[in-house]
Amino acid sequence: MSGSLMQGPLLISDLLTHAETFHSHGEIVSRTVEGPIHRYTYKDASQRAKQLANLLESLGVQHGDRVASLAWNGYRHYELYFAVSGMGAIMHTINPRLFPEQIEYILQHAEDKLLCVDLSFLPIVQRLLPQLPHLERIIVLTDDAHMPADAQQTLSKGNHPPICYESELAKHNAEYEWPRFSDDAGAVLCYTSGTTGKPKGVLYSHRSQILHAYASVQPDAMNLSSHSCVLPVVPMFHVSAWGVPYSCTLTGAKMVFPGARMDGAALAELIEDEKADFLLGVPTVWLGLLDYLRQNDKKLHTVQRVVVGGSAAPLAMIKEFQEVHDVFLIHAWGMTEMSPLGTLCTPTARLLSLPLDQRYQYQRKQGRPVFGVALKIVDAKGEALPHDGSTFGRLMVKGPWVIERYYRSDASALENGWFDTGDVATIDPEGYMQIVDRTKDVIKSGGEWISSIELENIAVGHPDVQEACVVGVPHPKWDERPLLLVIAKPNHQPTRESLLQYFEGKVAKWWIPDDAIVVKELPHTATGKLLKISVRETHQKHYL
Ligand code: AMP
């Protein structure tokens, strides 16, 4: 027997209509690519999103068409998010940090019709334009005064000259009725960063994005409301900035977009000026901010919580946020295939009641699943492993915002109804999950496993170390042994002995790397993760 309530689709356009109606004064602040700070309200954003929908319609964009962006976090990108998905087309965000060949592949694979670009990324587009047969037009996300002088020559596609976003928007009115359609329809397309093989597309639906937003804003998840002032440093070109543009719009939270400047000084200034209390980003961004604050003897006065994900948050960072700035670091885990939210380690009543040292042992873990996500760990044969906090296994997930198949793939991406995340993890009896490693990065030494992440987290606590990378490289006796590579803090010179000694007493003796090297730089992926494949390749003969 069915329930007897109304049926209705969960659509992204409804979020903005809600914010326009009930949070009309809620602010959206952006540091623009052109320079100045831009400030407006949800009401203004909603009006402009409708103008944009009219503009896109006039360009022939139809239900299901892909509209791509290469853009920073800012108000025009936000308008695209809502106008494109709202009208039934698919917002396809592209990571500009990918190699040009990957960007070209992605644009061809998605068959994007339009490409909307911030000024910073025009050189990429100029180079790729001849290779993109499906692309009809470029929209430059700026005003007339900032359109490049040679735009007509370098950004025309066939007979179509490039469009200046602001001048064209101004020609369209804000009368637009968002269409109603099934919430199963694709809304947002995001490609994985593809460290092995080609990038793969994940197509989120309206329903999955809305459910993800509902789950994210819960008090024991991100705890967002109209009281919040949120600064997403995590880019809108990577898994919708962890869904923050939707969750903030759902709640009317003030949103602060950092644009192209994510260095410590720029972030500190924006946090202070706008009184941001909730920040989100990857560990490297926070290393930069904490360094800047330390060197300039400054404190964070308004921030209450910072969400750190994408890579493991080292204990040293958790402590520095807490003990110097009185900020609770919420360790989070997720992935492109999960829209991205999987787990959060939030300040529950129980965690806050613990002495700091005990609490940190929880905060080092990536936390517990938000409602909607199910987790389990399994062995090589797919048998479930115990949740005892020490048994490692392949981390499998399930839920309404978890991938079923990659974009344009005929094959399901699931194994018996679960998605294999490619991560190795432990789960403790209270449900706290801890990432041990990527399956392909875990170090296999003499038949046992060593977590490269755990070793890196320890190494960055060394007073001379800025960044650390541990890889397993071939060893004649043990198959693989860990090798530590570090970047030194400016004006520091760590020795091999002090680096290796630093592990003593912190891990089992056989986990301690056999050697340590100080390097000038480490390779990273387009999403800021260590590119361990290339480190392993460079050093594969180190122990032979
Ligand atoms: P992406 O799809 O590019 O967002 O990458 C997702 C992957 O990043 C996950 O499968 C993990 O390997 C890694 N990751 C995300 N968050 C964390 C975290 N808090 N700690 C360790 N690894 C993480």
Side-chain angles (χ1 to χ4, degrees), residues 208-352:
S208 70
Q209 294 291 76
I210 299 266
L211 292 178
H212 183 271
Y214 266 126
S216 309
V217 303
Q218 297 294 314
D220 275 332
M222 292 194 191
N223 191 21
L224 297 181
S225 75
S226 62
H227 298 265
S228 314
C229 178
V230 180
L231 183 122
V233 187
V234 49
M236 290 168 78
F237 54 69
H238 183 57
V239 217
S240 327
W242 299 347
V244 166
Y246 308 106
S247 354
C248 285
T249 309
L250 174 71
T251 55
K254 174 174 170 181
M255 234 183 323
V256 183
F257 289 128
R261 290 197 51 208
M262 280 159 278
D263 56 287
L267 290 177
E269 184 187 299
L270 207 54
I271 292 166
E272 191 73 17
D273 289 354
E274 300 304 326
K275 302 191 172 44
D277 61 15
F278 189 75
L279 321 176
L280 305 99
V282 295
T284 32
V285 162
W286 306 127
L287 284 178
L289 176 67
L290 290 172
D291 257 0
Y292 169 82
L293 295 170
R294 214 180 302 118
Q295 278 163 23
N296 293 278
D297 211 8
K298 289 190 173 181
K299 288 236 168 105
L300 296 170
H301 300 291
T302 57
V303 182
Q304 293 174 4
R305 289 164 300 140
V306 51
V307 179
V308 183
S311 304
L315 181 60
M317 180 179 287
I318 300 173
K319 282 185 168 176
E320 186 167 354
F321 266 118
Q322 187 61 56
E323 292 169 21
V324 180
H325 302 285
D326 198 18
V327 171
F328 189 99
L329 185 151
I330 298 179
H331 203 176
W333 166 86
M335 62 195 314
T336 310
E337 287 87 340
M338 298 179 71
S339 309
L341 201 53
T343 62
L344 291 162
C345 194
T346 54
T348 57
R350 168 159 155 69
L351 238 56
L352 292 180

Side-chain angles (χ1 to χ4, degrees), residues 192-193 238-239 242 308-313 331-337 340 366 421-423 435 437-438 453 527 529:
T192 60
S193 25
H238 183 57
V239 217
W242 299 347
V308 183
S311 304
H331 203 176
W333 166 86
M335 62 195 314
T336 310
E337 287 87 340
Q366 280 77 1
T421 61
D423 287 326
I435 297 288
D437 231 321
R438 288 295 291 165
I453 293 187
T527 49
K529 296 187 216 304

Side-chain angles (χ1 to χ4, degrees), residues 62 129 151:
Q62 293 180 2
L129 211 47

